[in-house]
């Protein structure tokens, strides 16, 4: 087991109104698997993924990565953890608009190394970034800015960026949510390939069961808890 969460609760407050989203969610991510998290819109999938990825802190419960509690780390240590151990991709890509595809892919290395280390390694790092863009089918788009790329190409660039610091785990939140079916299929094939060929552990959130069907295993978020597939079907009758 590479990552797990136990008894995670999260309630958002909007003025006087409390909105409980996670109510004791448990989840286990196994090394080398592709896991899908499904659930209706608003069921808390993104919230759970953000908690797993230390972008958000649970109100209660714990998140353990390779034997170490990560939910209670300082902001600085959580930032370093995300930078070196995790790759994350989102429905809306989150690329930096002023940077080329190559520079976007290099960004995690700029954050990781201090200026002198980066300078010393810059040739290898640029080669790695270019090779990653090649790997995702964008070897011919290195100098393009995000606005000059299609949606599918932007998501592929985001995937290359997520891989820059050699993460052991990729978290993907509705990675094909903004894509047409053909580009979406391409991105899913790429994720499946990274999982099967490169052994990357992938956790993918989706509201779409046909997308979840590509994963090795699916869990369902129902009323703020995680049900495994059988239990999820039982809940639905
Ligand atoms: P999903 O990804 O499954 O669609 P989310 O995790 O984004 O669900 O959201 C779950 C619920 O929490 C929704 O009702 C949403 O409106 C609410 N919510 C999410 N983020 C916030 C926030 N920052 N502040 C207040 N409410 C939020
Ligand atoms: Mg969401």
């Amino acid at each position: 087991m590479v990552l797990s969460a136990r008894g995670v609760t999260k309630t958002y407050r909007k003025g006087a109104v409390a909105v409980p989203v996670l109510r004791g969610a448990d989840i286990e991510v196994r090394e080398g698997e592709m896991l899908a998290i499904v659930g209706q819109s608003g069921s808390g999938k993104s919230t759970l993924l953000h908690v797993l990825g230390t972008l958000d802190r649970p109100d209660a419960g714990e998140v353990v990565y390779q034997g170490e509690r990560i939910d209670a780390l300082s902001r600085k240590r959580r930032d370093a953890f995300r930078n070196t151990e995790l790759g994350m991709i989102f429905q809306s890509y989150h690329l930096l608009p002023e940077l080329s595809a190559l520079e976007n892919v290099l960004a995690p290395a700029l954050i990781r190394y201090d200026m002198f280390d980066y300078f010393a390694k810059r040739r290898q790092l640029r080669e790695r970034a270019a090779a990653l863009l090649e790997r995702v089918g964008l070897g011919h788009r290195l100098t393009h800015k995000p606005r000059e790329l299609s949606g599918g190409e932007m998501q592929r660039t985001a995937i290359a960026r997520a891989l820059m610091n050699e993460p052991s785990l990729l978290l993907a939140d509705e990675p094909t949510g903004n894509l047409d079916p053909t580009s979406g299929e391409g991105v899913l094939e790429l994720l499946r390939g990274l999982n099967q060929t490169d052994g990357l552990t992938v956790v993918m959130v989706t509201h779409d069961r046909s997308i979840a069907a590509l994963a090795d295993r699916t869990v369902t978020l129902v009323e703020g808890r995680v049900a495994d597939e059988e239990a999820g079907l039982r809940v639905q009758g």
Side-chain angles (χ1 to χ4, degrees), residues 45-131:
K45 302 181 299 295
S46 294
T47 302
L48 178 60
L49 201 75
H50 288 183
V51 167
L52 289 173
T54 73
L55 285 174
D56 209 347
R57 278 176 126 155
D59 298 332
E62 55 183 51
V63 184
V64 174
Y65 175 77
Q66 291 180 350
E68 196 198 347
R69 277 281 294 266
I70 54 169
D71 55 281
L73 296 175
S74 67
R75 171 174 290 274
K76 193 175 165 192
R77 296 209 33 219
R78 279 186 290 154
D79 289 347
F81 164 75
R82 277 199 308 280
N83 181 248
T84 55
E85 301 295 322
L86 288 192
M88 294 183 93
I89 59 170
F90 302 92
Q91 181 171 348
S92 51
Y93 327 123
H94 294 340
L95 297 173
L96 293 167
E98 300 306 323
L99 301 185
S100 68
L102 187 76
E103 291 161 345
N104 266 285
V105 176
L106 276 166
L110 271 164
I111 292 166
R112 177 176 189 171
Y113 298 111
D114 69 35
M115 210 169 49
F116 294 104
D117 278 352
Y118 182 83
F119 195 71
K121 294 177 204 285
R122 70 193 183 287
R123 184 189 293 270
Q124 289 151 266
L125 291 171
R126 287 181 79 87
E127 278 170 12
R128 174 167 173 76

Side-chain angles (χ1 to χ4, degrees), residues 119-222:
F119 195 71
K121 294 177 204 285
R122 70 193 183 287
R123 184 189 293 270
Q124 289 151 266
L125 291 171
R126 287 181 79 87
E127 278 170 12
R128 174 167 173 76
L132 283 168
L133 281 165
E134 188 78 42
R135 170 76 171 83
V136 302
L138 293 177
H140 57 314
R141 292 282 186 272
L142 303 188
T143 61
H144 284 58
K145 297 273 174 71
R147 68 172 173 279
E148 298 161 340
L149 299 172
S150 71
E153 289 172 338
M154 284 194 270
Q155 193 61 294
R156 287 164 181 277
T157 303
I159 291 170
R161 177 180 59 182
L163 299 174
M164 183 64 202
N165 286 346
E166 300 176 77
S168 38
L169 183 60
L170 183 72
L171 304 181
D173 191 354
E174 306 266 10
T176 62
N178 284 354
L179 300 178
D180 63 82
T182 308
S183 311
E185 268 168 41
V187 163
L188 291 169
E189 266 169 38
L190 176 59
L191 293 176
R192 191 73 252 204
L194 289 167
N195 169 255
Q196 281 177 341
T197 313
D198 305 39
L200 186 68
T201 308
V202 177
V203 181
M204 176 174 66
V205 156
T206 176
H207 65 276
D208 184 336
R209 287 203 163 262
S210 67
I211 291 174
L214 293 169
D216 298 313
R217 196 162 68 89
T218 302
V219 296
T220 311
L221 257 179
V222 184

